[in-house]
């Protein structure tokens, strides 16, 4: 008995010495100021934006260059220590924090890599370090008369590296596609410190596998992105936004098709509902866009449509809206201030929902032909699991992407939360949809990944992961089952 206790003490002593050596090697690589171990300093890196995922980190490493990122990864590889890359920590699927299989990992924060290169107008590109925020890049470009085709409400904190790593969608996908289609190149460091750099800026460079495309959307599991090169878009001279209250969701879906077919300047079509707008108004102390509720009975759907062009697109949009079926009310905004006011109703949803408690957060795609039936059936699906739960719905209608948030179940009521998620994701998959439309899989969607990817596809993903990160150190538990040091072997391994 005493021997066993002593053995346990020996193990703990050895663990502590190992921990000390890891920290000492990280400090040797970055300096003591940029290796955080004090709980007060690490806490903000250990819990995700929603508050649903949390775990202790061995340390937070804050490199300031690609070379320092490589040094951190070499130290972690030598110690067999998992690494969780982190940008702005605005991710919504728990992939940016050291939770679950990544507990005890080193959080590798990219936030000190903030350099943005001068705009390359000849090539039509901008290159920036991974830790630059989307808002900083947008501001940098605006002064030169450009923008990029990615935009989302977390722009002030979300980083280019995080946006690339999650292949973020956002509010401009209709015209510009998701992040992957806007990335011209990138630089990344692999788990063992090797570098992949594809930043030539050449539009034609067709030599071999498209490694940047593979790293985009890899959620920190294949490499740490250190630089991102994006295609520029000329800043539109004129913009018009319109908030449109619709008779019902079917009319809204039909209007999307009509706008797509007839309004060349169409840039965004976002979906909200009356109760979501009311929630945002209550949360931010705003007036409702139209006086009172549109309908005392129905939860009226709204479209927020934006058009952009060299000349004012307002007339083009108005002409279509005047005769479109199911349009109840329209508020048009042409000035920057009025447009911002309308977008606040849209962009305020995530924060307003989080203020009610940690939501069950789902991000599905459902074919537009089935979306009305899916939305109609949701309240009963939710009630069947948690009668008192509150359902919040909004999304990117042109991409058939619905954000389904449910508040009510306690953060620790894992059973209700997983039953709810399972029921809704099963329905989305049965309708030919996706369980993860734009936020990624992270830790949150791992139990259901098999609903959207076949066993063969999952085996190929696992093989790719093993090829790039054989020790399984990068973001374990995300996208493929964890394997490697101290973990059960992955049964999917050959
Ligand atoms: P983090 O949250 O830090 O990380 C996200 C994932 O990427 C993690 O798995 C992490 O390990 C990995 N990662 C981060 N940086 C790197 C790197 N340099 N190299 C390798 N891996 C890395 N998402 C959308 O798609 N569309 C939206 O409309 C949208 N709106 C949002 C609105 C709000 C209010 C919030 C809070 C979030 C929203 N998101 C949206 C989710 C989130 O903002 C995006 O996924 C964003 O791209 C994450 O960027 P980040 O820098 O915060 O990454
Ligand atoms: C959005 O489009 C974001 O608002 C966040 O993707 C969605 O909070 C959410 O569920
Ligand atoms: Zn979204």
């Amino acid at each position: 008995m005493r021997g066993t206790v002593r053995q346990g003490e020996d193990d703990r002593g050895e663990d502590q010495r190992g921990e000390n050596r890891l920290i000492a090697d990280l400090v040797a690589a970055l300096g003591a100021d940029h290796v955080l171990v004090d709980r007060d300093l690490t806490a903000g890196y250990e819990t995700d934006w929603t508050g649903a995922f949390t775990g202790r980190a061995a340390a937070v490493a804050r490199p300031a260059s690609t070379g320092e990122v490589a040094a951190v990864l070499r130290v972690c590889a030598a110690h067999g220590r998992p690494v969780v890359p982190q940008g702005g920590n605005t991710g919504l699927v728990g992939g940016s924090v050291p939770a679950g299989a990544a507990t005890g990992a080193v959080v590798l924060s990219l936030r000190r890599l903030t350099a943005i290169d001068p705009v390359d107008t000849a090539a039509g590109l901008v290159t920036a370090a991974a830790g630059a925020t989307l808002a900083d890049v947008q501001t940098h470009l605006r002064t030169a008369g450009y923008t990029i085709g990615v935009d989302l409400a977390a722009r002030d904190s979300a980083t280019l590296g995080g946006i690339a790593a999650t292949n973020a969608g956002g509010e401009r996908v209709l015209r510009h596609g998701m992040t992957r289609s806007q990335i011209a190149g990138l630089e990344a460091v692999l788990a063992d410190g090797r570098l992949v750099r594809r930043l030539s800026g050449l539009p034609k460079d067709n030599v071999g596998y498209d490694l940047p495309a593979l790293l985009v959307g890899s959620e920190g599991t294949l490499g740490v992105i250190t630089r991102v090169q994006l295609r520029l878009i000329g800043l539109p001279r004129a913009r018009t936004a319109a908030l449109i209250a619709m008779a019902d969701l079917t009319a809204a879906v039909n209007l999307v098709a009509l706008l797509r077919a007839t309004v060349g300047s169409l840039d965004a079509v976002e979906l909200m509902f009356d109760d979501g707008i009311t929630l945002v108004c209550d949360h931010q102390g705003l007036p409702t866009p139209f006086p009172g509720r549109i309908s005392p009975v129905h939860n009226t759907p709204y479209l927020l449509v934006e058009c952009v062009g060299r000349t004012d697109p307002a007339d083009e949009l108005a002409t279509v809206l005047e005769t479109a079926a199911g349009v109840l009310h329209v508020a048009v905004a042409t000035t920057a201030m009025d447009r911002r006011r309308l977008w606040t109703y849209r962009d305020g949803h995530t924060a307003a929902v989080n203020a009610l408690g940690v939501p069950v957060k789902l991000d599905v795609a459902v074919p537009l032909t089935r979306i009305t039936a899916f939305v109609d059936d949701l309240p009963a699906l939710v009630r069947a699991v948690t009668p008192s739960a509150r359902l919040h719905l909004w999304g990117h209608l042109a991409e058939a992407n619905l954000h389904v948030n449910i508040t009510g179940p306690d953060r620790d009521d894992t059973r209700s939360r997983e039953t709810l998620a399972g029921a809704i994701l099963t329905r989305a998959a049965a309708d030919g949809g996706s369980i993860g439309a734009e936020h990624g899989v992270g830790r949150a969607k791992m139990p259901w990944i098999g609903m959207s990817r076949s066993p063969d596809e999952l085996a190929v993903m696992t093989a790719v992961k093993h090829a790039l990160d054989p020790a399984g150190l990068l973001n374990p538990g995300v996208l493929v089952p964890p394997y490697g040091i101290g973990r059960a072997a992955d049964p999917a391994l050959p």
Side-chain angles (χ1 to χ4, degrees):
M1 189 67 181
R2 286 178 64 194
T4 312
V5 171
R6 229 179 271 130
Q7 183 62 53
E9 284 171 355
D10 283 353
D11 288 349
R12 276 198 297 280
E14 186 44 47
D15 284 353
Q16 190 54 53
R17 282 191 290 278
E19 206 73 9
N20 293 346
R21 283 195 294 271
L22 169 71
I23 304 301
D25 288 350
L26 289 171
V27 168
L30 301 183
D33 284 353
H34 299 300
V35 180
L36 313 180
V37 287
D38 185 338
R39 196 70 219 282
D40 290 347
L41 300 176
T42 59
Y45 299 82
E46 292 174 324
T47 298
D48 76 318
W49 195 94
T50 66
F53 293 88
T54 192
R56 288 299 303 273
V60 177
R62 302 180 74 244
S65 65
T66 300
E68 287 189 355
V69 170
V72 170
L73 287 168
R74 278 194 294 267
V75 167
C76 291
H79 286 265
R81 184 59 64 117
V83 176
V84 175
Q86 189 184 94
N89 197 13
T90 66
L92 298 174
V93 288
S96 52
V97 292
T103 302
V106 169
V107 170
L108 198 172
S109 168
L110 281 301
R111 277 187 234 170
R112 289 180 67 225
L113 276 77
T114 54
I116 308 174
D117 289 0
V119 179
D120 181 348
T121 51
L125 298 171
V126 63
T127 307
T133 64
L134 177 57
D136 283 347
V137 174
Q138 288 170 335
T139 305
H140 177 84
L141 295 179
R142 201 173 299 122
T143 53
Y146 291 93
T147 186
I148 47 176
V150 195
D151 196 18
L152 39 84
R155 59 185 75 79
D156 290 333
S157 306
T159 62
L160 283 199
I163 284 167
T166 57
N167 185 28
E171 296 160 349
R172 307 287 155 180
V173 173
L174 167 68
R175 181 178 283 254
H176 303 291
M178 289 182 61
T179 298
R180 187 179 285 110
S181 49
Q182 305 179 45
I183 288 195
L186 55 72
E187 175 189 83
V189 185
L190 303 184
D192 58 6
R194 281 178 300 164
L195 196 65
V196 170
R197 181 183 283 141
R198 195 72 65 71
L199 293 172
S200 70
L202 293 169
K204 289 192 154 184
D205 180 7
N206 207 8
V207 183
Y209 299 134
D210 189 345
L211 297 180
L214 176 64
L215 284 153
V216 175
S218 64
E219 300 188 40
T221 62
L222 298 181
V224 178
I225 297 167
T226 45
R227 280 159 75 75
V228 180
Q229 192 171 61
L230 287 152
R231 297 200 174 85
L232 296 176
I233 294 163
L235 206 55
R237 297 220 183 100
R239 282 181 192 271
T240 292
L243 184 66
I244 310 160
M246 299 296 304
D248 53 42
L249 189 53
T250 302
V253 170
N254 291 340
L255 182 56
V256 173
L258 181 66
L259 291 169
R260 241 200 258 272
T262 55
V263 179
S265 56
L266 193 65
D267 201 54
V269 182
E270 299 286 293
L271 174 72
M272 297 173 271
F273 289 86
D274 218 350
D275 59 3
I277 291 186
T278 305
L279 187 70
V280 172
C281 291
D282 291 347
H283 184 234
Q284 299 199 23
L286 300 173
T288 52
F290 304 108
R293 272 182 83 98
I294 302 287
S295 157
V297 193
H298 302 295
N299 192 15
T300 303
Y302 290 69
L303 293 181
L304 178 56
V305 172
E306 190 157 292
C307 296
V308 303
R310 287 179 186 282
T311 54
D312 187 355
D315 286 347
E316 188 185 17
L317 179 60
T319 310
V320 175
L321 294 183
E322 267 161 26
T323 52
V327 171
L328 300 181
H329 297 276
V330 183
V332 176
T334 48
T335 67
M337 203 208 274
D338 284 347
R339 273 191 293 105
R340 248 195 318 276
R341 195 173 54 80
L342 293 188
W343 275 99
T344 302
Y345 296 120
R346 165 65 184 87
D347 284 350
H349 273 65
T350 301
V353 168
N354 238 69
L356 299 177
V358 178
V360 174
K361 190 173 278 296
L362 302 171
D363 161 41
V364 300
V366 176
L368 282 174
T369 45
R370 299 201 172 140
I371 211 161
T372 302
F374 177 86
V375 168
D376 285 348
D377 291 351
L378 271 181
L381 263 177
V382 171
R383 260 197 317 274
V385 180
T386 336
S388 59
R390 192 165 161 191
L391 175 66
H392 313 267
L393 267 185
W394 71 98
H396 313 278
L397 192 59
E399 291 83 56
N401 177 189
L402 279 179
H403 296 310
V404 183
N405 282 230
I406 299 144
T407 51
D410 199 67
R411 178 191 177 281
D412 300 321
D413 183 0
T414 314
R415 204 166 147 190
S416 300
R417 297 173 76 87
E418 292 200 346
T419 311
L420 271 170
I424 293 166
L425 297 180
T426 303
R427 170 64 193 267
D431 277 345
S434 169
I435 62 138
E438 63 169 3
H439 298 156
V441 173
R443 297 177 210 293
K445 311 284 161 51
M446 276 303 275
W448 301 285
I449 191 170
M451 288 182 180
S452 280
R453 293 292 176 263
S454 71
D456 285 352
E457 286 172 320
L458 292 172
V460 172
M461 281 169 58
T462 302
V464 170
K465 166 75 173 167
H466 278 270
L468 270 71
D469 178 19
L473 295 180
L474 284 180
N475 225 355
V478 170
L479 286 180
V480 300
Y483 60 90
I485 296 162
R487 300 187 205 99
D490 176 359
L493 264 178

